[in-house]
Amino acid sequence: MPTFAEFFAGIGLVRMAIEPLGWQCCFANDISEEKASVYTHWFGSDHLAIEDVRDVQIEDVPAGVALFTASFPCIDVSLAGNRNGINGRHSGAVWPFLDLVARYSRRTGAAPRAVLLENVVGLIASNGGRDLAGVIRNLNQIGYRCDVVLVDAKSFVPQSRPRVFIIGLQDGDPTITRFPAGEESRLRPAAVIKFFRQNRDLCFGESSIPLPPRMPLIGLDSIVDWLAHNQAELWWPPDKVARLISEMNPIHRERLRSLGRAQGPRYATMYRRVRQGRAVGEIRADGIAGCLRTPVGGSSVQFLVEIDSDRIRIRPMTAIEYGRLQGVTLDLPAGFRERQGLHAFGDAVCVPAVRWLVGHAFQHLTESGPTGKRPLGPLRDRMLEGKKRISSVGARVPIHAR
Ligand SMILES: C[S@@+](CC[C@H](N)C(=O)[O-])C[C@H]1O[C@@H](n2cnc3c(N)ncnc32)[C@H](O)[C@@H]1O
């Protein structure tokens, strides 16, 4: 079985994604004790080094690792972040990671056959493309030909979460062509093709992955935490809902109305955003949740809105729902607080998206190929189990409330 080393492992969702494909984790690293408690709860602590990536000793990573993964911090390259760029305090952790890959290759005499880096789409344009180019140049120097693709979690789960993945395969690997075809697609949209063209000095290639599915197999109703639905204290009081509706931009109020015209309850998600100095509710009505974020400020909490005929009720989404939107149905450790759960999942990768990508890009590196292509089976079953429960709590407020 080929082995992988997972850097910036967080709660271990890369591991959760790829172990069913026939990969075995032999090393994991993350700086956060809190996330490590979830990782350990699910996977044990055998291979986990809880420390700054800068302190990882290369001797601690076993020889013969085929794949290094790194979903490194995004805060400095995200459009919503501080824009400090790839040398910022957080995202700059990618450099010690790359240094480890280089030192590992020298020490063991063999570079890992593949690397996979993940980050927000903002990385492509960060610093006019120079940040991403710097990372790829570094990988080229270690011996990797690189592809850059965009995969959105919404191909697999009802969450919009576009992410950029850098796929590095050793130059000479037959599954990566010498030059990218340069045609725009959902996988390599215009920004990526432009990036390829602007950096002709770099060693790019096109890995053999198909277009991801257009739509997820499950809708928002499949991720609802029905137990939370029955907790009266979670739902907003009627006056708060009424005020929110009355202060909404008419476009968003109309979204609620049109959802209310459907038969039976419908679900939408909402973020509160500050517009012209006021916090207003903005509804996403396409059956897909907005991108999960870590709950660091008021605007980063996502809400679930239930619309039934012309009545709505609102509550914050729960950590269980965040987990399901990342493709996870395992329970968090006992005593883990709700906010910690939102933080852990909001910062994580989407399991079925990573499974799909690794299953296609690195399938040839697993001895017997994928062993468990079941990206959403158990998730779907477990979520539908609770669906029949009826919840009557929480005030339902008419959409036309003023
Ligand atoms: C985007 S999250 C990755 C989440 C992870 N893939 C998961 O599924 O949970 C980035 C992770 O990098 C970790 N991190 C940030 N700075 C680090 C550093 N200097 N050394 C090691 N880990 C670091 C954070 O604790 C966080 O878990």
Side-chain angles (χ1 to χ4, degrees):
M1 208 182 255
T3 53
F4 69 98
E6 182 185 9
F7 289 84
F8 310 101
I11 56 174
L13 297 200
V14 170
R15 177 169 180 169
M16 192 178 285
I18 74 174
E19 277 193 337
L21 299 175
W23 289 90
Q24 189 182 6
C25 179
C26 67
F27 182 81
N29 164 248
D30 198 282
I31 199 170
S32 161
E33 295 271 358
E34 186 171 300
K35 294 205 181 160
S37 67
V38 181
Y39 187 101
T40 306
H41 179 65
W42 287 339
F43 304 107
S45 58
D46 284 1
H47 309 297
L48 181 62
I50 309 166
E51 59 190 342
D52 195 313
V53 65
R54 295 167 183 89
D55 297 329
V56 171
Q57 300 299 307
I58 200 60
E59 294 74 24
D60 293 341
V61 185
V65 176
L67 170 67
F68 274 40
T69 68
S71 42
F72 60 100
C74 63
I75 186 157
D76 298 308
V77 296
S78 159
L79 293 178
N82 57 34
R83 311 270 193 111
N84 284 338
I86 199 86
N87 295 319
R89 192 157 65 89
H90 306 277
S91 303
V94 73
W95 301 118
F97 163 75
L98 291 170
D99 188 48
L100 278 171
V101 182
R103 282 194 286 137
Y104 182 84
S105 310
R106 285 198 295 274
R107 182 176 73 90
T108 62
R113 292 184 63 189
V115 289
L116 180 69
L117 281 72
E118 180 260 7
N119 214 290
V120 293
V121 174
L123 175 62
I124 302 172
S126 178
N127 235 323
R130 286 186 292 281
D131 287 352
L132 179 57
V135 170
I136 292 181
R137 184 165 297 111
N138 201 297
L139 286 167
N140 288 167
Q141 283 160 1
I142 308 172
Y144 295 102
R145 181 173 289 279
C146 296
D147 196 359
V148 179
V149 297
L150 244 72
V151 178
D152 194 327
K154 75 176 182 193
S155 291
F156 308 93
V157 289
Q159 181 199 175
S160 166
R161 193 177 189 84
R163 288 292 182 264
V164 62
F165 290 87
I166 305 170
I167 296 165
L169 281 159
Q170 280 181 19
D171 198 12
D173 184 302
T175 66
I176 188 159
T177 61
R178 281 190 71 77
F179 301 102
E183 278 164 27
E184 281 180 40
S185 66
R186 274 187 290 131
L187 209 48
R188 300 180 192 82
V192 171
I193 299 298
K194 184 172 160 207
F195 174 77
F196 286 154
R197 292 197 178 127
Q198 284 177 341
N199 292 281
R200 291 183 194 275
D201 60 315
L202 298 178
C203 187
F204 292 118
E206 194 170 292
S207 52
S208 52
I209 34 184
L211 289 180
R214 272 192 187 277
M215 299 274 291
L217 290 173
I218 56 171
L220 268 183
D221 57 339
S222 298
I223 65 94
V224 172
D225 174 355
W226 298 103
L227 289 178
H229 234 56
N230 281 304
Q231 279 174 267
E233 67 277 14
L234 288 183
W235 294 97
W236 280 14
D239 55 332
K240 190 171 173 183
V241 179
R243 195 166 57 247
L244 177 111
I245 297 171
S246 71
E247 289 175 359
M248 243 172 202
N249 176 312
I251 295 174
H252 290 272
R253 207 178 301 130
E254 183 48 37
R255 285 184 187 164
L256 289 177
R257 284 212 184 90
S258 58
L259 284 166
R261 282 182 212 117
Q263 279 281 315
R266 287 285 183 277
Y267 298 94
T269 58
M270 179 186 86
Y271 269 121
R272 271 183 304 182
R273 308 225 189 266
V274 177
R275 305 278 181 219
Q276 290 157 348
R278 273 188 321 141
V280 291
E282 295 192 350
I283 301 289
R284 213 185 146 114
D286 56 358
I288 304 267
C291 187
L292 299 179
R293 307 189 206 143
T294 52
V296 283
S299 68
S300 54
V301 178
Q302 192 157 192
F303 294 86
L304 186 79
V305 182
E306 185 189 75
I307 307 109
D308 196 353
S309 303
D310 69 341
R311 304 214 150 230
I312 75 166
R313 52 181 183 161
I314 301 176
R315 65 165 170 81
M317 294 186 83
T318 65
I320 286 181
E321 287 163 338
Y322 269 39
R324 289 172 178 177
L325 286 173
Q326 298 287 40
V328 179
T329 55
L330 296 181
D331 293 327
L332 290 165
F336 212 66
R337 290 191 307 276
E338 183 69 11
R339 203 163 178 83
Q340 291 175 302
L342 298 178
H343 189 274
F345 286 126
D347 204 19
V349 297
C350 176
V351 170
V354 172
R355 186 173 298 161
W356 179 88
L357 188 72
V358 169
H360 286 289
F362 304 137
Q363 180 174 356
H364 61 297
L365 303 181
T366 53
E367 280 156 2
S368 51
T371 53
K373 278 195 169 179
R374 296 181 306 146
L376 285 172
L379 176 70
R380 190 183 175 122
D381 294 345
R382 279 193 56 182
M383 289 191 299
L384 293 180
E385 259 172 34
K387 207 177 162 183
K388 293 185 195 73
R389 290 180 206 144
I390 301 206
S391 154
S392 55
V393 300
R396 290 159 167 86
V397 175
I399 296 169
H400 42 78
R402 284 276 184 281

